Every structure is written in structure tokens, then in C-alpha cells.
Amino acid sequence: MERLKKGINPYHDISNILTLKQFKTEQGVLIFSEPRSGSTWLMEILGKMIGDAVVNWEPFHPGRGVVPKYLEWSFRPHFKDKNEFEQHYELINKILSLSVFTPWTTQKIDPLKAAKANLVITKFVRANLILPWITDRFNLKYKPIYLVRHPISTCLSQLKTFKNLKLAFNRPTLINHEIFNEHIEFLKKLETELEYRIALWCIIHNKVIEGKVNLKNISLVYYEDLLKNPRTEINKLIENSGLDKLITSNIDMVNFKLPSSTVYMNDLEANVSKQINKHLEFIDKETKERIQGVLDYFSINIYNAYSPNPIKHGS
């Protein structure tokens, strides 16, 4: 605060430090999730436990991130095949190694910590569709983390938080609309924006998980499990992702009850069970039935509209 009063912009310091850094993409920690799924909370927990790391904050943001507007990634990038991915490989490599940045993407970085940092934690809510390409193309030392939250809770939270971002009932604006084309007639029949957002959640989830990513190459984490048993789930995540050698802080020193910096007033219940159940209790039986119809159409079987907890088949 004192530095700002004197007219000194901390970003100048961070920019100078990062320009001299040479972070390696392969040694980065990657967190993928949908908006309002708990990714900031998880990022902040890992940031406290991993020594000498800096945060690369939402580099795919369409207005404040690092992706040139002429590429028209907009809603979120998706590539048809490996050849198309290769056209953007250098940019993605620069993004993951924090070779390109903006005041927005470096907002979580402390200049003093940046000076001694040796790895990058990149947190995305717009990159899920290219997770298959990233795991295939980059020889990552640590498994990318894919955090999933119940689609009803996720989408209701999106509607509450992003009140001014109204979605039209048509295809989102992004490159390669083809992944939505086959569902256009179904999308047009949906009655509410909640159903529409849940349909988009389903399309994106299916492109990531259903046969597109080798699950052995990622760490799949459920928000509900993380909320109910944070220490157990974080320890499992650390082991599964291979992050154990990076941990410098004892897990018992982490305050898991501390909300993330993006939790808004009255959006977090003190009781874990209430937090997990509150969104499903908010909607009526008829709405749940329509949402279940959306989930059934997309063959989503890790969640249903009647229970807040994930369904883990074969686990």
C-alpha cells in the first residue's frame, strides 16, 4: 500500500523480474476447472504449500489475458486436431512458462517471491477443451489437476456471480464451433439459462473426460470431496500428481476454512454439508427433472440432479 501511495506500480517490478526468468513449461503445475468450481481455493492452498512458486492467473481471459484478440479464442479455445494445435503450440508454451504476461495474469504474484521462484502454478477456467492436447504434447513432470464440481452448483454460482454476462441461446463464440453444432437443436429447446449453461458444462466435460484424456495422465479432483475431507484429498492429490517433492509447508498449517479470494459475501456456508447441498435445495423438483434430462442427453453419469455428491463408478 505504501508503494502505491508513492506512485510506484508493483507490476513494473514483477515485469522486470519475470523478463529475466526462464521458467520451464514441463515443470509447471497446471489447474484446470470451470468458473466457480473452487479452482482459486485449490490454487491458493497449493500456493501456500509449494515453495518458490508464482501464480499465472487466468492467462486465457479474453480481455485481460495474453491471447491476441485476432485469434478469436474468446469463450475458450478448442482445436480440431494435432495439426491445428501445433499452430498455437508456441503461444501456449510461452503462456505456460510465463514468458508472456499482463498485469491481470500477474496480479497474484508478490515481487519478493517472484525473485526466488523456480516454477509456475497456472490456473485456468477457460482451457478445459485443450487439456487433451496439452497432456499429449507436453512432457509434464506433474500431472495436470482437473477440478470438477456439480454442474448445478457450478452453473447457479456462475449465474449469481456473473450477472451481467448473459448467454444467448445459441452457440458460444469461439473457434471451431463444430463441437456444439451437433447439439444446436437440443440447445434451442432448453427453457432456462441454467439448463443452457449446464448443457455447455456437459459438452465441455465430455470432450475432456469421455475418451479424450487418458485419466492416468491427470489428477481428477471432485470439489465436494475436497470440501468434506480437505486434508485427505489434498494429500491424495499431491501424491497422485507427483507434487510431494515441491511441498515445503506442513499441511496441518493450512487453514482450509479460509475462503478463497474470489468467494463473495454470503456465498460460503460455515457448515460444509450446507455448502454442498445449498444449490440443489434452491431449485424445485420440476427444474431438477429438466436438468436430469440434460444430463441424460449428454450421458453424464458422474453427477445427477438429485444428489450433490459425485458418483464414482468402479471406484
Side-chain angles (χ1 to χ4, degrees):
M1 183 63 69
E2 186 65 28
R3 291 168 59 81
L4 292 177
K5 288 179 179 178
K6 293 179 180 179
I8 300 174
N9 186 347
Y11 174 68
H12 291 162
D13 291 346
I14 294 171
S15 178
N16 290 335
I17 292 169
L18 295 181
T19 300
L20 298 174
K21 287 283 186 178
Q22 291 185 335
F23 296 110
K24 295 182 179 180
T25 294
E26 290 75 12
Q27 295 180 359
V29 177
L30 309 183
I31 301 174
F32 295 80
S33 188
E34 286 298 294
R36 310 307 299 165
S37 294
S39 57
T40 300
W41 182 48
L42 177 58
M43 176 204 77
E44 290 173 352
I45 290 172
L46 292 178
K48 292 172 183 176
M49 298 182 66
I50 297 174
D52 299 338
V54 291
V55 169
N56 188 10
W57 175 261
E58 299 297 343
F60 285 3
H61 189 285
R64 302 173 182 173
V66 299
V67 180
K69 290 185 178 181
Y70 71 84
L71 292 179
E72 297 183 339
W73 285 11
S74 189
F75 181 71
R76 60 188 74 203
H78 169 64
F79 306 117
K80 296 177 184 177
D81 51 40
K82 292 182 180 180
N83 290 331
E84 188 168 274
F85 178 84
E86 289 299 326
Q87 296 175 19
H88 302 285
Y89 170 82
E90 288 301 326
L91 173 58
I92 294 172
N93 188 38
K94 289 179 179 179
I95 291 172
L96 298 181
S97 63
L98 202 53
S99 298
V100 290
F101 48 84
T102 67
W104 166 264
T105 65
T106 58
Q107 63 180 280
K108 302 290 185 181
I109 297 178
D110 182 295
L112 295 178
K113 193 171 184 179
K116 61 178 182 178
N118 53 38
L119 65 87
V120 179
I121 300 175
T122 301
K123 202 272 286 190
F124 294 106
V125 294
R126 297 174 178 85
N128 290 345
L129 288 172
I130 66 168
L131 176 54
W133 308 113
I134 288 177
T135 58
D136 182 61
R137 185 62 177 83
F138 293 98
N139 184 25
L140 301 172
K141 184 175 183 179
Y142 310 107
K143 290 183 182 179
I145 299 163
Y146 185 57
L147 177 62
V148 182
R149 184 184 186 187
H150 197 293
I152 293 177
S153 298
T154 298
C155 297
L156 279 175
S157 184
Q158 289 175 3
L159 288 171
K160 178 181 179 180
T161 305
F162 310 126
K163 293 180 180 178
N164 296 324
L165 299 180
K166 298 297 183 181
L167 283 176
F169 279 69
N170 54 23
R171 294 174 298 192
T173 301
L174 79 167
I175 60 173
N176 294 338
H177 292 164
E178 291 83 357
I179 62 171
F180 297 93
N181 283 349
E182 61 183 294
H183 306 295
I184 288 300
E185 295 306 315
F186 177 79
L187 294 175
K188 288 180 179 178
K189 296 176 182 178
L190 299 179
E191 298 181 25
T192 66
E193 188 172 352
L194 174 59
E195 293 171 67
Y196 184 73
R197 283 180 180 261
I198 287 176
L200 296 183
W201 183 98
C202 294
I203 293 170
I204 291 163
H205 171 79
N206 277 344
K207 283 295 178 181
V208 176
I209 297 300
E210 302 299 329
K212 300 300 180 181
V213 175
N214 185 341
L215 295 183
K216 293 181 180 179
N217 294 331
I218 67 172
S219 289
L220 178 61
V221 185
Y222 294 95
Y223 169 84
E224 294 79 16
D225 291 346
L226 195 59
L227 204 61
K228 288 186 291 187
N229 301 295
R231 283 179 172 78
T232 299
E233 293 303 313
I234 288 294
N235 278 327
K236 286 167 56 178
L237 170 62
I238 289 170
E239 181 180 357
N240 187 41
S241 300
L243 300 174
D244 48 299
K245 294 182 179 179
L246 298 178
I247 302 303
T248 59
S249 298
N250 192 308
I251 193 171
D252 294 327
M253 301 298 291
V254 178
N255 181 8
F256 291 103
K257 295 183 179 180
L258 184 68
S260 80
S261 59
T262 57
V263 167
Y264 300 93
M265 189 176 295
N266 300 323
D267 199 38
L268 184 66
E269 299 285 349
N271 181 279
V272 169
S273 179
K274 286 185 177 180
Q275 173 67 13
I276 293 174
N277 284 277
K278 69 176 183 177
H279 290 104
L280 267 72
E281 293 175 352
F282 177 79
I283 57 178
D284 58 31
K285 181 180 179 181
E286 182 181 349
T287 302
K288 288 179 181 178
E289 289 175 352
R290 293 203 306 269
I291 290 173
Q292 187 58 49
V294 176
L295 298 177
D296 290 342
Y297 171 85
F298 289 103
S299 301
I300 296 295
N301 57 20
I302 64 168
Y303 287 105
N304 65 47
Y306 309 104
S307 170
N309 297 302
I311 304 165
K312 300 167 193 173
H313 302 278
S315 61

